[in-house]
Amino acid sequence: KADALSSVGSGSVDGARSASATLDWLDAHGYQQLVVDSIAVITAMIPLGLVLMTSIAFAVGAARLAREKVLVQELPAVEGLARVDIICLDKTGTLTIGDIEFDAEHVLPGAATASGWKAALAWFGSSADANATARSLAAAYPALYPMPATAATIPFSSARKWSAVSLQDASASGTWVLGGPEMVLPRMDAELAARVKKLASSGRRTMLLAHAVTPISAEQSSKETLPVDLTAVALLTLRERVRPDAAKTLSYFHAQGVAVRIISGDNPDTVAAIAREVGLDAPQGYDARQLPEDDAALAEVLEAHAVFGRVTPDQKKRLVIALQAKGHTVAMTGDGVNDALAIKQADIGIAMESGSPATKAVARLVLLDGKFSHLPGVVTEGRQVIANIERVSMLFLTKTSYAVMLAVLFGAALMTFPFLPRQLSIVDGLTIGLPAFFLALLPNAQRYVPGFLRRSLAFAVPSGVVIAVALLTYSVLANAQGVDTAQLRTGSTLILAIVGLWILAVLARPITAIKGVVIGAMMVALVLVYTVPIVGEFLGFSDPGPIVAVLVAVIAGTSIVLIEAIRLVHRRLIRRPWFMTPLKPRRTRWWRDA
């Protein structure tokens, strides 16, 4: 002690007194007590069980979704489901069942000079490279054997939306092109364009077969370009059955505040007709070939339109990126390989079981039975999980907050830490650990509101400060009344247990029967802890006496009133509806959506 005083210097009287007081405290309490108090503080600071409870909630959510035939390929996807505020849907295989059926042929004047057009359609329908649309022609135009010899082919591409073949047959010679009418003949005459629009507006997929006398050249084949002398031969319409549950599913999304965008490679009028059939307000579709290159202008288009047609795979990905840049959390569904890029880019990629292997590989969720009606349950499960985790996090973060404040306040005041490690452990277990397990798994219909971390800290930090100040006040008053250490710690544990149970009840609201049983069981357990002699002896409890009992009642009651005030302010100022919270670009305001 003399060495410490001499090292301070003659001009530092206050420093010398502080050092002397510190050494006196160590002499009085010993280093052993210092180590015990340090362990108690550190133990209280750690939010024990928060990671475990979060992982359990995610795992249980994934198990529940598995029972509903939804495969969760990445566990964090369950949490992401809660934040989805816009969902992008592919038409074929999502809104429709995906079985494309031939509807009718509409012969055009050009068929008079191209008599072999049915043989050409038979080739498209039976080709080894035929996609689902082309294969639907096989029943109406059965293949002829032997098949006409081919001189050159250009396979179908989702970007081009057409395929071509040059046949070497007397009845079907020349080049035949099958694809979207406006993609095959960008400059079609007004009469043909009107006919195409009328057919597409009926909701039927419309294809155009065109013919050119000249075969595909090597340059056209390598560059995948069309002959210049194409003549329209026939329009073909195909039917797709709308999923019977699509309208109800989209109605659910609308009620939950989740916006819907339909992006498809089909004709915009066809996509808009299907959208109207399932209940969307879509007077017309937007042609993706007219999408602006500027990102800001693209974002405005996405806000103004809900249906997009003739969208290429790269454009689907760009649309998802533009929505994310506006602050949206985007889910994307699809089944084709042309959806893979967008599904991979989306926050939550959802693939159908009937989809391509590439699409299912990059998706975070897979609908194993391909039922679109599972999506409301998927979103609901995600929101239930994140809402329960939010409640649990408030419990654990409140404990961390008051533990940090206790360490600072009691350390600065050079006062004995008012708990033993085992006393903190039993209180934490009964007011936080065990009830958190049940809260994390109980049903929860609460809608997710952006700002998880901000909202949790806004309740946990003030509540932690109230508890820490209450315990410091109690310790000061108890010491002033000459209360011994055992009584001091008993009273402190009582205050923490009472206020902790009240916080548990506050965060569990509305109190259901199950929650009431859980809270009641924790209360009974705490009473047993204090009343069973062997347990009380092990935990270091003693008879608090009348002075400590009065202090506990007054300070615990005051703390409960302050906790209720914090909760009231928290609900009114922090928990605003999501539609009142402006969306922030995630790159500059990421912490607000943490």
Side-chain angles (χ1 to χ4, degrees):
K1 186 184 302 185
D3 293 340
L5 292 174
S6 62
S7 64
V8 173
S10 58
S12 302
V13 178
D14 293 337
R17 290 175 178 173
S18 177
S20 177
T22 302
L23 293 171
D24 288 338
W25 188 90
L26 291 175
D27 288 341
H29 296 83
Y31 289 97
Q32 182 179 1
Q33 185 61 47
L34 178 62
V35 172
V36 172
D37 290 347
S38 299
I39 292 173
V41 172
I42 294 172
T43 303
M45 287 182 183
I46 301 172
L48 300 173
L50 180 56
V51 175
L52 176 62
M53 290 297 102
T54 301
S55 300
I56 289 176
F58 285 169
V60 171
R64 287 173 178 165
L65 291 175
R67 289 199 297 267
E68 300 297 325
K69 303 297 182 182
V70 178
L71 174 63
V72 179
Q73 302 200 115
E74 296 181 19
L75 202 58
V78 177
E79 179 268 340
L81 293 170
R83 298 184 289 108
V84 169
D85 62 353
I86 190 165
I87 183 168
C88 297
L89 307 173
D90 181 41
K91 177 181 71 67
T92 305
T94 302
L95 294 180
T96 62
I97 294 177
D99 296 331
I100 304 173
E101 300 175 353
F102 177 76
D103 176 58
E105 62 183 37
H106 306 268
V107 182
L108 302 175
T113 58
S115 57
W117 61 275
K118 290 189 177 182
L121 289 175
W123 184 93
F124 281 112
S126 59
S127 171
D129 297 329
N131 59 10
T133 303
R135 287 195 299 270
S136 66
L137 303 175
Y141 305 98
L144 303 177
Y145 295 98
M147 289 291 292
T150 59
T153 60
I154 300 178
F156 179 82
S157 166
S158 298
R160 289 185 277 100
K161 305 192 185 306
W162 56 263
S163 58
V165 61
S166 291
L167 300 179
Q168 294 177 332
D169 185 85
S171 61
S173 61
T175 298
W176 301 89
V177 181
L178 180 66
E182 62 273 24
M183 311 302 287
V184 175
L185 289 178
R187 297 181 180 83
M188 67 180 75
D189 59 70
E191 181 180 353
L192 179 58
R195 192 169 184 181
V196 168
K197 185 174 182 63
K198 181 178 179 181
L199 292 173
S201 298
S202 67
R204 288 174 288 180
R205 179 178 292 192
T206 306
M207 306 289 290
L208 174 65
L209 177 68
H211 177 256
V213 177
T214 58
I216 299 174
S217 65
E219 181 180 2
Q220 289 172 334
S221 180
S222 61
K223 295 183 178 181
E224 298 183 344
T225 57
L226 289 170
V228 295
D229 57 341
L230 284 174
T231 301
V233 174
L235 287 171
L236 307 168
T237 53
L238 310 172
R239 292 191 305 268
E240 293 182 83
R241 288 182 295 166
V242 175
R243 292 184 181 273
D245 53 2
K248 183 178 180 181
T249 302
L250 294 183
S251 175
Y252 166 84
F253 286 136
H254 177 73
Q256 293 296 312
V258 179
V260 175
R261 297 292 182 269
I262 300 178
I263 52 180
S264 173
D266 287 347
N267 185 289
D269 295 316
T270 301
V271 183
I274 296 294
R276 290 192 295 270
E277 189 173 345
V278 296
L280 285 184
D281 183 14
Q284 61 183 8
Y286 190 94
D287 195 327
R289 293 175 297 171
Q290 301 174 3
L291 286 175
E293 294 297 327
D294 180 67
D295 292 339
L298 176 61
E300 295 300 324
V301 171
L302 287 170
E303 294 293 338
H305 298 272
V307 176
F308 298 83
R310 294 303 180 210
V311 186
T312 65
D314 288 335
Q315 285 178 321
K316 288 185 178 183
K317 178 181 178 181
R318 187 176 172 226
L319 292 177
V320 171
I321 293 174
L323 290 170
Q324 291 173 332
K326 290 284 288 183
H328 293 289
T329 301
V330 184
M332 172 71 195
T333 68
D335 65 342
V337 67
N338 58 326
D339 301 317
L341 291 175
I343 286 177
K344 182 176 178 60
Q345 177 63 41
D347 297 281
I348 302 295
I350 305 172
M352 303 294 178
E353 173 59 24
S354 59
S356 66
T359 303
K360 291 187 289 185
V362 300
R364 305 181 78 178
L365 300 174
V366 179
L367 304 184
L368 296 178
D369 56 2
K371 290 185 178 180
F372 184 53
S373 57
H374 288 319
L375 289 182
V378 168
V379 174
T380 299
E381 184 64 37
R383 289 182 171 181
Q384 173 178 315
V385 168
I386 198 64
N388 285 337
I389 290 175
E390 181 174 333
R391 287 178 171 176
V392 171
S393 70
M394 287 185 184
L395 282 174
F396 283 101
L397 293 177
T398 298
K399 186 192 79 165
T400 300
S401 299
Y402 72 65
V404 172
M405 289 300 299
L406 285 174
V408 173
L409 294 177
F410 280 84
L414 292 178
M415 296 176 62
T416 301
F417 194 69
F419 300 100
L420 293 173
R422 55 183 178 270
Q423 293 171 341
L424 279 176
S425 296
I426 193 66
V427 173
D428 290 347
L430 294 178
T431 63
I432 299 175
L434 290 177
F437 177 80
F438 294 98
L439 288 180
L441 303 180
L442 289 176
N444 192 332
Q446 175 183 328
R447 289 180 58 183
Y448 174 75
V449 181
F452 173 94
L453 183 60
R454 176 183 58 181
R455 191 164 52 251
S456 298
L457 293 177
F459 176 81
V461 173
S463 299
V465 171
V466 167
I467 294 174
V469 172
L471 290 171
L472 179 64
T473 303
Y474 162 77
S475 296
V476 171
L477 295 177
N479 287 330
Q481 296 297 323
V483 174
D484 61 37
T485 303
Q487 288 180 314
L488 174 70
R489 288 173 174 162
T490 301
S492 297
T493 309
L494 276 171
I495 292 173
L496 185 59
I498 294 171
V499 178
L501 280 175
W502 192 269
I503 291 176
L504 173 63
V506 166
L507 295 179
R509 295 173 186 170
I511 304 296
T512 61
I514 297 178
K515 293 177 184 177
V517 170
V518 172
I519 297 172
M522 297 304 105
M523 291 180 177
V524 171
L526 283 171
V527 170
L528 293 176
V529 165
Y530 278 94
T531 56
V532 175
I534 189 172
V535 178
E537 182 180 350
F538 170 75
L539 294 175
F541 294 150
S542 65
D543 183 5
I547 296 176
V548 171
V550 171
L551 289 176
V552 168
V554 172
I555 292 178
T558 304
S559 300
I560 288 174
V561 172
L562 294 176
I563 294 294
E564 286 293 335
I566 291 171
R567 184 60 172 173
L568 180 62
V569 174
H570 182 264
R571 291 183 64 85
R572 292 191 174 184
L573 299 184
I574 303 299
R575 296 186 62 97
R576 294 181 295 175
W578 68 270
F579 49 82
M580 293 176 61
T581 304
L583 292 171
K584 304 295 183 183
R586 62 176 59 188
R587 291 184 179 179
T588 57
R589 302 281 185 171
W590 60 268
W591 62 86
R592 294 186 181 273
D593 293 327

